[in-house]
Amino acid sequence: MKIRPLHDRVVVRRKEEEQTTAGGILLPGAAAEKPNQGEVIAVGTGRISNNGDVVPMSVSVGDTVVFGKYSGSNTIKVDGEELLILNESEIYGVIEA
Amino acid sequence: MKIRPLHDRVVVRRKEEEQTTAGGILLPGAAAEKPNQGEVIAVGTGRISNNGDVVPMSVSVGDTVVFGKYSGSNTIKVDGEELLILNESEIYGVIEA
Amino acid sequence: MKIRPLHDRVVVRRKEEEQTTAGGILLPGAAAEKPNQGEVIAVGTGRISNNGDVVPMSVSVGDTVVFGKYSGSNTIKVDGEELLILNESEIYGVIEA
Amino acid sequence: MKIRPLHDRVVVRRKEEEQTTAGGILLPGAAAEKPNQGEVIAVGTGRISNNGDVVPMSVSVGDTVVFGKYSGSNTIKVDGEELLILNESEIYGVIEA
Amino acid sequence: MKIRPLHDRVVVRRKEEEQTTAGGILLPGAAAEKPNQGEVIAVGTGRISNNGDVVPMSVSVGDTVVFGKYSGSNTIKVDGEELLILNESEIYGVIEA
Amino acid sequence: MKIRPLHDRVVVRRKEEEQTTAGGILLPGAAAEKPNQGEVIAVGTGRISNNGDVVPMSVSVGDTVVFGKYSGSNTIKVDGEELLILNESEIYGVIEA
Amino acid sequence: MKIRPLHDRVVVRRKEEEQTTAGGILLPGAAAEKPNQGEVIAVGTGRISNNGDVVPMSVSVGDTVVFGKYSGSNTIKVDGEELLILNESEIYGVIEA
């Protein structure tokens, strides 16, 4: 199953960091703050500007993106996996290796 | 009876998932969260942009669409069936098989 | 007496459904939810877009229209009859037989 | 004394209905709801659209106009008479005989 | 000392009505409602519209203007006299003799 | 050290009035209301309008400007001196001698 | 690791002032107000204006910028270092030596 996002929406798989203490004990996921990074899974075709033109997207599938701590509450389930739906405007930037 | 939605409105039939427990017991509908997916039944002709042009719609009749959990409170009854009225901007994306 | 609505306003006569119980007892009007449908009695010439052009209306006199449950609080009395004043943007769609 | 309203403002003299009971007793004005109709006394030259053009007015001096029940709180005194100052956007329509 | 208002601002000297009772007793100024009229002392060059053009002002120095009862809280002191600073959009109209 | 303000920002040195009573006693600065006037120290290049053009500034370095009593809470320290950062839209006008 | 900010976002390294008392005692960082200045580490390509054009940025990598005391709450961690994410509109100006 695949999702085609509309307009300037971006589907993001949130990065899951291993939660281990210094002593190597694995912490339950809920105990840690979720990382505000993820991998872009799908991008829309771009928002439609006031004069009707499509504004091309600034992120691409495969990009690692950073977003704000108050973003990421809109989620969808695709094949049992929870993915984030972001507007491109919620994305701060792209991490470059 | 048919409805012709205005502008960028979309009429959606919400997906009804069978509510059965692992043991096969059918749960009453009210006990489960309603799925935020549905089938597009009718689409408007598109919103009118600031310069007066019509912006074509990005969804079509028959599409399976995903929308936010806070969308879907506007409903109409057509032939006894409750259907959702969404703005296209409330739709996250289209599920592709 | 007639009213000529301004811009994108629409005058609507709300549909009055007969309120009878299964056993045929007529319920007083106040006990039932008012139907969010009506007949278009008059339409304005269209709203004026940002660049000064008039945007033509998408509904016509005689159309049966559906509107939201929170619309319809603006009313006027014409010849003793209470009619609704809606903006076209409050109308979800047109019922087609 | 005359007032020249600016932009899309309209000066309206509110209709005063005679307040008599069925038995012919004159009610004091304060006891009745004020009618949301009036006669247009003066109109502005029109609001200035985003691109700087003047949008012509849709009401004229002498028109009987209907407005919302929450409009009409802006008043001015001209020669001892209280008149309403409305924006054209507050006017629902024009009554035609 | 003179003030040159920016953009669509207007400097207004509020009209001071003599506060005398029918019996000719002068009331202290604070006991009476301030009149929402005044004389235009200075006008800006006009607001800059969205496309960068200057929109010419609709009031001139010397005009007697009427404004809303909630306008007039922005004041400046020029040579010991308190003057009002209004946006042109706060002015209802111009009184013509 | 100098600051180059961005867009339509203006750096202003607030006027310090001598605080002396009629009898010549110097009042401590904190006991008096701060004057809403000041000298322009630096101006930005102008805000960028909706169509991408730069709107030229209406104030210049050296101007004495008047601003509202609720403006002036954004400050920066330059060489130990506290200066105000205003948007041009917060400036009412320019005092001309 | 590097971040490429989107649109009109700016990555800023906040200036850390040495916190020493007059007597030379080093104060713990938390006891002092954080300085509202910093060095620009990365800039976006510019926001997209209403007509679809890119508005070039007014700050460059290496600039020392001043921002408001209520800005700077959006942060990201890059190589263990906390950096600020600002919109260009939050930046008051550029410090010039």
Side-chain angles (χ1 to χ4, degrees):
Chain A
M1 191 173 102
K2 255 180 62 178
I3 182 162
R4 168 170 67 84
L6 295 193
H7 305 304
D8 61 341
R9 287 208 171 84
V10 180
V11 181
V12 169
R13 176 182 293 125
R14 196 193 279 266
K15 194 177 160 188
E16 293 294 339
E17 286 180 292
E18 275 195 27
Q19 307 295 339
T20 42
T21 64
I25 299 164
L26 196 73
L27 295 175
E33 218 179 273
K34 289 183 182 166
N36 292 321
Q37 291 186 18
E39 186 195 347
V40 174
I41 300 297
V43 297
T45 47
R47 84 177 157 87
I48 294 157
S49 76
N50 277 2
N51 60 12
D53 293 338
V54 172
V55 178
M57 300 292 283
S58 299
V59 295
S60 311
V61 171
D63 280 355
T64 299
V65 292
V66 188
F67 45 90
K69 55 190 152 197
Y70 302 115
S71 294
S73 62
N74 288 335
T75 58
I76 52 164
K77 275 222 166 132
V78 176
D79 296 336
E81 183 186 27
E82 197 172 74
L83 297 173
L84 309 182
I85 299 278
L86 300 173
N87 287 316
E88 194 192 69
S89 62
E90 294 177 282
I91 296 177
Y92 289 163
V94 176
I95 297 287
E96 295 180 330
Chain B
M1 192 172 100
K2 255 179 62 178
I3 180 163
R4 168 170 66 84
L6 294 192
H7 305 303
D8 60 342
R9 288 208 171 83
V10 180
V11 181
V12 170
R13 176 181 294 124
R14 196 194 278 267
K15 194 177 160 188
E16 293 295 340
E17 286 180 291
E18 275 195 27
Q19 308 294 339
T20 42
T21 64
I25 299 164
L26 196 74
L27 295 175
E33 218 177 274
K34 288 183 182 166
N36 292 320
Q37 290 186 18
E39 187 194 346
V40 174
I41 299 297
V43 297
T45 48
R47 85 177 156 87
I48 293 156
S49 76
N50 277 3
N51 60 12
D53 294 337
V54 172
V55 179
M57 299 293 283
S58 300
V59 296
S60 310
V61 170
D63 279 354
T64 299
V65 292
V66 188
F67 45 89
K69 55 192 153 196
Y70 302 115
S71 294
S73 62
N74 289 335
T75 58
I76 53 163
K77 276 224 166 132
V78 175
D79 296 336
E81 183 186 25
E82 196 172 73
L83 297 173
L84 308 182
I85 299 278
L86 301 173
N87 287 316
E88 194 192 69
S89 63
E90 294 179 282
I91 296 178
Y92 289 163
V94 176
I95 298 287
E96 296 181 330
Chain C
M1 191 173 100
K2 255 180 62 177
I3 181 165
R4 168 170 66 83
L6 294 193
H7 306 303
D8 59 343
R9 288 210 170 82
V10 180
V11 181
V12 169
R13 177 182 293 124
R14 196 193 279 267
K15 195 178 160 189
E16 294 294 340
E17 287 180 292
E18 277 197 23
Q19 309 294 338
T20 43
T21 64
I25 300 164
L26 196 73
L27 295 174
E33 218 178 275
K34 289 183 181 166
N36 292 321
Q37 290 186 20
E39 187 194 347
V40 174
I41 299 298
V43 297
T45 48
R47 83 175 157 87
I48 293 156
S49 75
N50 277 3
N51 60 13
D53 293 338
V54 173
V55 179
M57 298 294 282
S58 299
V59 297
S60 309
V61 171
D63 280 353
T64 300
V65 292
V66 188
F67 45 89
K69 55 192 152 194
Y70 301 114
S71 294
S73 62
N74 289 335
T75 58
I76 54 164
K77 276 222 166 134
V78 175
D79 296 336
E81 182 186 27
E82 197 173 73
L83 297 173
L84 308 182
I85 299 278
L86 300 173
N87 287 317
E88 194 192 68
S89 62
E90 293 179 284
I91 296 177
Y92 290 163
V94 176
I95 298 288
E96 296 181 329
Chain D
M1 191 174 101
K2 255 180 61 178
I3 181 164
R4 168 171 67 83
L6 294 193
H7 306 302
D8 59 343
R9 288 210 169 81
V10 179
V11 181
V12 169
R13 176 182 293 121
R14 196 193 278 267
K15 194 177 161 189
E16 294 294 340
E17 286 180 292
E18 275 197 24
Q19 308 295 340
T20 43
T21 64
I25 300 164
L26 197 73
L27 295 175
E33 217 177 277
K34 288 182 183 168
N36 293 319
Q37 289 185 20
E39 186 195 347
V40 174
I41 299 298
V43 297
T45 48
R47 83 175 157 89
I48 294 156
S49 76
N50 277 2
N51 60 13
D53 293 338
V54 172
V55 178
M57 298 294 282
S58 299
V59 297
S60 309
V61 171
D63 281 353
T64 300
V65 292
V66 189
F67 46 88
K69 54 192 152 194
Y70 302 115
S71 294
S73 62
N74 289 335
T75 58
I76 54 165
K77 277 222 165 134
V78 175
D79 295 336
E81 182 186 27
E82 195 173 74
L83 298 172
L84 309 182
I85 299 277
L86 300 173
N87 287 316
E88 195 192 68
S89 62
E90 293 179 284
I91 295 177
Y92 290 163
V94 176
I95 298 288
E96 296 180 330
Chain E
M1 191 174 101
K2 256 179 62 178
I3 181 164
R4 168 171 66 85
L6 294 194
H7 306 302
D8 60 343
R9 288 209 170 82
V10 179
V11 181
V12 169
R13 176 182 292 123
R14 196 192 279 267
K15 194 177 161 189
E16 294 294 339
E17 287 181 291
E18 276 196 24
Q19 307 295 339
T20 43
T21 64
I25 300 165
L26 196 74
L27 294 175
E33 217 177 276
K34 288 182 184 168
N36 293 317
Q37 289 186 19
E39 186 196 348
V40 175
I41 299 297
V43 297
T45 48
R47 85 176 155 87
I48 293 157
S49 76
N50 277 2
N51 59 13
D53 293 339
V54 173
V55 178
M57 298 294 282
S58 298
V59 296
S60 309
V61 171
D63 280 353
T64 300
V65 292
V66 188
F67 45 88
K69 54 190 152 196
Y70 302 115
S71 294
S73 62
N74 289 335
T75 57
I76 52 164
K77 277 222 165 132
V78 176
D79 295 337
E81 182 186 26
E82 196 172 75
L83 297 173
L84 309 182
I85 298 277
L86 300 173
N87 287 317
E88 194 192 70
S89 62
E90 293 179 284
I91 296 177
Y92 290 162
V94 176
I95 298 288
E96 296 180 329
Chain F
M1 192 173 100
K2 257 180 61 179
I3 181 164
R4 168 171 66 84
L6 294 194
H7 306 302
D8 60 341
R9 288 208 170 83
V10 179
V11 181
V12 169
R13 176 181 292 123
R14 196 193 279 267
K15 194 177 161 189
E16 294 295 339
E17 286 180 292
E18 274 196 27
Q19 307 296 338
T20 42
T21 65
I25 299 165
L26 196 74
L27 295 174
E33 219 179 274
K34 289 184 184 166
N36 293 317
Q37 289 186 19
E39 186 196 349
V40 174
I41 299 297
V43 297
T45 48
R47 83 175 156 88
I48 294 157
S49 77
N50 278 1
N51 60 13
D53 293 338
V54 172
V55 178
M57 299 294 282
S58 299
V59 295
S60 310
V61 170
D63 280 354
T64 300
V65 293
V66 188
F67 45 89
K69 54 190 152 196
Y70 302 115
S71 294
S73 62
N74 289 334
T75 57
I76 52 164
K77 277 221 166 134
V78 176
D79 296 336
E81 182 186 27
E82 196 172 76
L83 298 173
L84 309 182
I85 299 277
L86 300 172
N87 287 316
E88 194 192 71
S89 63
E90 294 178 283
I91 296 177
Y92 289 163
V94 176
I95 298 288
E96 296 180 329
Chain G
M1 192 172 100
K2 256 180 62 179
I3 182 163
R4 167 170 67 83
L6 295 194
H7 305 303
D8 61 342
R9 288 209 169 84
V10 180
V11 181
V12 170
R13 176 182 293 126
R14 196 192 278 265
K15 194 177 160 189
E16 294 294 339
E17 286 180 293
E18 274 196 29
Q19 308 295 340
T20 42
T21 64
I25 298 164
L26 196 74
L27 294 173
E33 219 178 274
K34 288 183 183 165
N36 293 319
Q37 290 186 19
E39 186 195 347
V40 174
I41 299 297
V43 298
T45 47
R47 83 175 157 88
I48 294 156
S49 76
N50 277 2
N51 60 12
D53 293 339
V54 172
V55 178
M57 300 293 283
S58 300
V59 296
S60 310
V61 171
D63 279 354
T64 300
V65 292
V66 188
F67 45 89
K69 54 190 153 198
Y70 302 115
S71 295
S73 62
N74 288 334
T75 58
I76 53 163
K77 275 220 167 134
V78 176
D79 295 337
E81 183 187 27
E82 197 172 75
L83 298 173
L84 309 182
I85 299 278
L86 301 172
N87 287 316
E88 194 192 69
S89 62
E90 294 179 282
I91 296 177
Y92 289 163
V94 176
I95 298 287
E96 296 180 329

